[in-house]
Amino acid sequence: MDRDASSPGLACVVLAHGDPEQVHRLVEALDPFPVYLHVDSRTSDDVFRQITSGLPSRCVILPRRRTGWATWGAVEAEIEGYREALSHPGITHVALMTGADYPLASSDEIRAFLGEHRDESFTMFTTLPYVNWGRSGGFDRLRYRHWARGKRMIRLPVPRRLPADVRFAGGSTSKMLTVEHARAVVRTYDSEPDLAAFWRRTWAPDETFIASVVNTPRFVPGWADHHVSTPLWWIDWSGARKKSPPWLDESALPSLLARRLADDQAVPCLFARKFSTEVSGPLMDELDRAFGLRGAVRR
């Protein structure tokens, strides 16, 4: 890398809902990267105080919004995190994380990785139609207005016109964008209010809005040549279809140490999901020792 070793390289936007101990542990494991932390406004004031008290100065608390599952609020919180992170000097990439994530690499390895991929974003997006998203390939998420109630979907069965000149895409919410791509997302959000208004009533907009913005040449020219479609997050979606991945325990350790979801994966995963204080403490202890996190000594 041609930057000074003290340059952070990565900024982390973290969306959290609870489990203060886990959030504190994640922030510590991400040292020295700056963290932009959002806590769901539905989280109780007491838990919010527990999450946000005693955090290091490199952690910035973002204004709170409702960030329920499959809702537009999560997109707004993510973009606000990008907006704040982009003002931090020395940043080349911004990662979107949840409070239930955890690194599978030391900060030195992550910075070295970013130095090798300075102009590349890492996402798992697919241009629609996406075969795994039903008969419409995901377009029914967009053509109809939606509301989320808890983890239930409410759909108004009246089709509407899709925005013109948008190359629709969707996929995992976990992503690492270059500052140029993150800046383009913020710029598009600010300059295209009609687009944001349309997406507010789509289903799971956090899985399609930013994916579609970066995939559209008029918003992000050259995206195809400056992103890598490979997972940087190890997430267990195996087994029966489910709305959320399972909590990880020590049985996942061999897979996490391997850091790959497929034999032909281009790069090792740098993060994983999902962890909790109650279920995953011993597992995270092992990861600390294996990857030298939180001051632990490598084996």
Side-chain angles (χ1 to χ4, degrees):
M1 294 179 63
D2 59 5
R3 292 184 181 272
D4 185 270
S6 63
S7 176
L10 179 67
C12 303
V13 177
V14 176
L15 307 187
H17 299 268
D19 199 346
E21 185 176 342
Q22 165 61 21
V23 175
H24 278 242
R25 181 166 188 159
L26 170 62
V27 171
E28 184 180 358
L30 291 172
D31 186 40
F33 301 133
V35 173
Y36 297 84
L37 176 63
H38 179 273
V39 181
D40 191 338
S41 65
R42 299 171 303 164
T43 300
S44 71
D45 290 343
D46 180 58
V47 173
F48 174 73
R49 284 191 293 269
Q50 293 179 51
I51 290 175
T52 57
S53 64
L55 291 172
S57 59
R58 61 185 171 83
C59 187
V60 175
I61 309 303
L62 299 172
R64 300 175 70 185
R65 302 174 183 270
R66 291 177 63 90
T67 53
W69 180 72
T71 64
W72 177 250
V75 179
E76 292 182 311
E78 178 177 353
I79 291 174
E80 187 61 30
Y82 291 165
R83 193 188 306 278
E84 292 294 323
L86 288 170
S87 66
H88 197 291
I91 294 299
T92 62
H93 292 74
V94 185
L96 178 71
M97 310 178 71
T98 76
D101 290 6
Y102 207 68
L104 300 179
S106 69
S107 59
D108 287 342
E109 181 181 352
I110 292 172
R111 282 192 289 204
F113 177 85
L114 298 181
E116 295 170 0
H117 300 277
R118 183 177 301 279
D119 299 320
E120 293 176 315
S121 293
F122 288 81
T123 63
M124 286 296 291
F125 297 153
T126 300
T127 299
L128 300 187
Y130 178 33
V131 65
N132 290 341
W133 280 2
R135 287 182 298 178
S136 74
F139 278 105
D140 53 358
R141 295 173 172 228
L142 306 168
R143 289 196 182 105
Y144 302 95
R145 294 174 177 86
H146 292 82
W147 289 259
R149 293 293 180 266
K151 287 202 172 184
R152 292 177 54 247
M153 179 181 73
I154 299 173
R155 174 182 292 170
L156 181 64
V158 179
R160 57 180 176 165
R161 182 174 298 179
L162 299 180
D165 300 322
V166 174
R167 187 174 294 175
F168 299 99
S172 175
T173 59
S174 301
K175 61 185 76 73
M176 185 182 289
L177 300 180
T178 66
V179 292
E180 290 79 9
H181 292 154
R183 190 172 290 115
V185 168
V186 174
R187 182 173 60 247
T188 302
Y189 173 81
D190 290 343
S191 63
E192 301 281 341
D194 290 345
L195 200 67
F198 171 88
W199 242 279
R200 184 179 296 274
R201 291 270 67 91
T202 62
W203 179 246
D206 54 337
E207 296 181 346
T208 57
F209 177 71
I210 289 175
S212 298
V213 167
V214 297
N215 196 50
T216 299
R218 69 186 177 99
F219 299 139
V220 185
W223 167 255
D225 296 326
H226 292 284
H227 85 279
V228 181
S229 183
T230 193
L232 289 186
W233 273 257
W234 192 98
I235 304 176
D236 183 12
W237 287 110
S238 62
R241 185 176 178 181
K242 43 193 174 287
K243 293 181 179 179
S244 299
W247 298 107
L248 299 175
D249 59 25
E250 285 183 283
S251 65
L253 182 61
S255 297
L256 294 181
L257 293 179
R259 301 196 298 175
R260 292 183 181 274
L261 293 167
D263 291 339
D264 60 350
Q265 186 174 326
V267 298
C269 292
L270 301 180
F271 309 97
R273 180 183 308 162
K274 69 185 189 180
F275 300 85
S276 75
T277 300
E278 181 179 0
V279 175
S280 314
L283 173 61
M284 289 185 287
D285 290 342
E286 291 294 329
L287 295 176
D288 287 347
R289 286 189 283 269
F291 299 116
L293 306 174
R294 301 170 65 235
V297 178
R298 282 176 175 267
R299 290 171 176 163

